[in-house]
Amino acid sequence: MKIKVGNSWFTERGIHLDIQQDGQSFIGEVEFSHKVDFPSKWYNPGIMGWYSFVPLMECKHGIVSVTHKLKGQISLNDRITDFTGGKGYIEKDWGVSFPESWVWIHSNHFQDDSASFTFLVAKIPWMGSFFIGHICFLYTNGKFYRFATYNGSKIKRLIYENEKLEILIEGQRETLEINVLLNISRHLRAPLRGKMSRIIKESIDSTVYLRLKGKNGNVLFEESGKRAGFEMIDKILTYFI
């Protein structure tokens, strides 16, 4: 699939940017390789699982690339940034509005070069009411550990104090401890009833610490991830007090 916007295009294999307006020039190409796909089956299509089949949801979510390698450069006016040797991640949302409140975390910059992690919990409107749903995965060494509302995992703790978020998720076989230290955040536009009119805050330079334990308490994964993306709309915290 290829998406073209003006003179720029976007595919699963890379991007080409050619944006020149308001005295600014944003030009370059970045290629994607060694892409890891999120596992998908007809009865369990992607990160949303069987929720993908639920109609009339205002927003749906998908993982395009769990992790991939980068090669190429992009210039902003005369300043060139070389992305060669870096790592990428692609997800997508479609619908008319983001949820009223949520927490979103992602990082694939761990000492374990294969690792990638994403967590999302949100207040989801449904049939005149709402429910709190979550989706989460940790990918490492070719294996996916999945935690989600639809597979019976539970969020046992979600606390935010002093710029630090603590989360504990219990699954069928593993438990996952998540700690996020918030860094600088910037304003970002988000959809609201079909228009990009909502302003939220997002950090792309936070730090996430993960500890994955097996059923017997043995540690399966324990690392800190850098360059973590982090969004939090505070209202979601009220459902975990």
Side-chain angles (χ1 to χ4, degrees):
M1 179 181 292
K2 184 176 183 178
I3 299 174
K4 194 171 187 297
V5 181
N7 294 323
S8 303
W9 50 258
F10 307 83
T11 76
E12 292 186 22
R13 297 181 179 179
I15 63 173
H16 169 83
L17 296 180
D18 185 354
I19 304 171
Q20 300 183 58
Q21 63 183 43
D22 301 327
Q24 302 290 318
S25 176
F26 201 37
I27 299 174
E29 286 191 12
V30 179
E31 299 175 6
F32 306 153
S33 64
H34 301 86
K35 178 173 165 284
V36 176
D37 294 319
F38 195 87
S40 179
K41 298 181 179 178
W42 71 267
Y43 58 86
N44 195 8
I47 188 67
M48 288 190 66
W50 59 264
Y51 276 112
S52 300
F53 300 115
V54 176
L56 305 178
M57 295 185 71
E58 66 176 5
C59 181
K60 292 190 177 182
H61 191 77
I63 305 296
V64 178
S65 174
V66 171
T67 186
H68 54 264
K69 303 295 185 182
L70 306 178
K71 180 181 179 181
Q73 297 179 335
I74 293 177
S75 66
L76 174 58
N77 298 327
D78 295 326
R79 181 181 176 182
I80 297 175
T81 301
D82 190 351
F83 290 87
T84 302
K87 299 179 69 178
Y89 165 83
I90 307 173
E91 62 178 32
K92 62 181 180 178
D93 296 280
W94 64 101
V96 295
S97 295
F98 274 178
E100 176 186 313
S101 56
W102 71 88
V103 170
W104 171 83
I105 310 161
H106 167 75
S107 178
N108 62 0
H109 283 66
F110 296 89
Q111 186 175 353
D112 174 356
D113 191 55
S114 72
S116 182
F117 161 78
T118 293
F119 169 87
L120 173 64
V121 61
K123 178 185 176 182
I124 302 167
W126 178 244
M127 302 294 287
S129 184
F130 70 91
F131 66 94
I132 305 299
H134 67 275
I135 49 180
C136 174
F137 75 84
L138 171 62
Y139 172 78
T140 175
N141 293 319
K143 185 173 181 179
F144 283 91
Y145 298 91
R146 298 174 67 169
F147 302 85
T149 303
Y150 57 77
N151 71 6
S153 73
K154 305 290 185 182
I155 296 178
K156 294 296 185 178
R157 183 169 69 246
L158 196 153
I159 302 171
Y160 183 71
E161 292 180 341
N162 301 320
E163 306 294 306
K164 183 179 179 181
L165 180 68
E166 298 181 15
I167 304 171
L168 174 63
I169 311 179
E170 289 186 0
Q172 298 285 334
R173 293 180 295 274
E174 296 90 18
T175 61
L176 182 61
E177 299 172 20
I178 307 165
N179 288 274
V180 183
L181 183 61
L182 176 63
N183 206 336
I184 299 170
S185 59
R186 293 288 186 262
H187 288 145
L188 179 72
R189 287 193 176 272
L192 179 64
R193 292 186 289 276
K195 296 182 179 181
M196 297 295 287
S197 58
R198 187 176 182 184
I199 303 296
I200 63 172
K201 288 185 177 182
E202 178 179 341
S203 168
I204 57 172
D205 195 24
S206 294
T207 300
V208 58
Y209 169 78
L210 303 178
R211 181 189 288 128
L212 178 72
K213 292 183 179 180
K215 201 167 187 178
N216 298 322
N218 53 313
V219 177
L220 304 173
F221 182 91
E222 186 172 13
E223 283 199 27
S224 293
K226 300 178 180 179
R227 307 292 184 264
F230 179 45
E231 297 173 1
M232 183 177 68
I233 309 303
D234 293 352
K235 291 179 181 179
I236 194 70
L237 299 174
T238 61
Y239 300 100
F240 295 92
I241 295 175

